[in-house]
Amino acid sequence: MSVTFRERMAGPVHVVDRVPWRVPPRGARAGDGLVRLVADAVDRSTERIGGVLDLDRLTVTVPGSGAEPERDGYAAEVTTGVVLGVRRRPLDVVAGFADLLTRTPTGRRMHYRLLVVDGPHRYVVEGVKTVEGGLRTAWRETTTLHTVVVRLTGPQAVPTTGTARWLAAGDLDGEVVLAGVLRVRGLLAQGASMRGRLLPFLAGFVRRTARPRAPLR
């Protein structure tokens, strides 16, 4: 039985002057460099705060046991949600995923990727939470999402079927137009929304957070 919960993250973002970015394939290295990219993009921004980016009502589903042996984390899908702050109107999430507490050389990370579309305009919202300090820093790290909004510029059209696989495959050319740090909002509501086999999921979540550098068994 899967685990499902709803999550919301929001925060101020800076307008970025078209920093090139290639959306990589989903995997162990997909979030590499994203935290530094956000920091550098914000530093280079010549604009004031470009508003608030709000990733609202994200439905995150961890299928089955959820454990991914190769990276010792949870491979989840984002099946629904609404993104505010990219265009003038709210945009529904077309496809997305969240790789939760997967291993990296320095600890663990939580990598989110969402696709939203407004007419001919295609955007990928990509964010990373770094989890490296154990329980001492767990609250701050698991509620902080370093985020970019990438406007896709390549010729690839969004497929009408298999969109989630297309997004996960990556290799999509684009440019960063917004960057900032988002925070989890409504944590109590998120907890209340959880359904499924919660005990093994939460036990594994705490274990991975407490020992982010623990070797694989």
Side-chain angles (χ1 to χ4, degrees):
M1 182 177 180
S2 63
V3 170
T4 300
F5 59 90
R6 278 194 167 184
E7 187 170 18
R8 181 189 177 202
M9 294 169 283
V13 288
H14 290 257
V15 176
V16 178
D17 187 19
R18 300 194 309 178
V19 174
W21 180 254
R22 186 171 179 84
V23 178
R26 182 181 188 177
R29 308 302 300 269
D32 287 1
L34 198 58
V35 174
R36 176 59 62 87
L37 173 68
V38 171
D40 290 348
V42 170
D43 287 343
R44 288 198 300 266
S45 174
T46 59
E47 302 285 343
R48 292 179 294 177
I49 294 295
V52 172
L53 181 65
D54 191 345
L55 314 180
D56 193 17
R57 303 194 298 275
L58 302 182
T59 302
V60 181
T61 299
V62 184
S65 64
E68 186 186 52
E70 182 180 353
R71 293 188 287 159
D72 189 39
Y74 299 100
E77 303 302 319
V78 180
T79 55
T80 63
V82 178
V83 175
L84 302 93
V86 174
R87 303 286 288 180
R88 292 184 180 273
R89 65 185 184 91
L91 302 176
D92 291 333
V93 171
V94 177
F97 66 78
D99 289 336
L100 307 178
L101 294 175
T102 52
R103 291 174 57 86
T104 74
T106 58
R108 295 184 184 271
R109 71 164 57 117
M110 303 168 77
H111 175 217
Y112 293 71
R113 180 180 296 169
L114 311 172
L115 173 68
V116 294
V117 176
D118 186 18
H121 305 286
R122 303 159 298 151
Y123 297 89
V124 170
V125 181
E126 191 134 43
V128 162
K129 302 174 184 178
T130 59
V131 182
E132 300 175 354
L135 292 179
R136 180 175 56 85
T137 58
W139 175 265
R140 172 176 54 82
E141 291 179 334
T142 59
T143 59
T144 302
L145 187 74
H146 305 267
T147 310
V148 294
V149 176
V150 180
R151 183 174 68 87
L152 298 182
T153 58
Q156 306 99 321
V158 175
T160 56
T161 60
T163 309
R165 292 192 300 273
W166 177 83
L167 182 65
D171 285 333
L172 305 171
D173 291 322
E175 53 192 22
V176 177
V177 294
L178 295 171
V181 178
L182 312 187
R183 310 286 181 185
V184 170
R185 309 292 187 191
L187 198 59
L188 291 179
Q190 177 177 325
S193 73
M194 299 188 77
R195 299 289 185 273
R197 298 181 67 246
L198 300 184
L199 187 58
F201 172 74
L202 292 175
F205 193 98
V206 171
R207 175 180 65 80
R208 290 170 173 84
T209 303
R211 301 182 62 205
R213 294 180 174 85
L216 284 169
R217 294 177 179 177

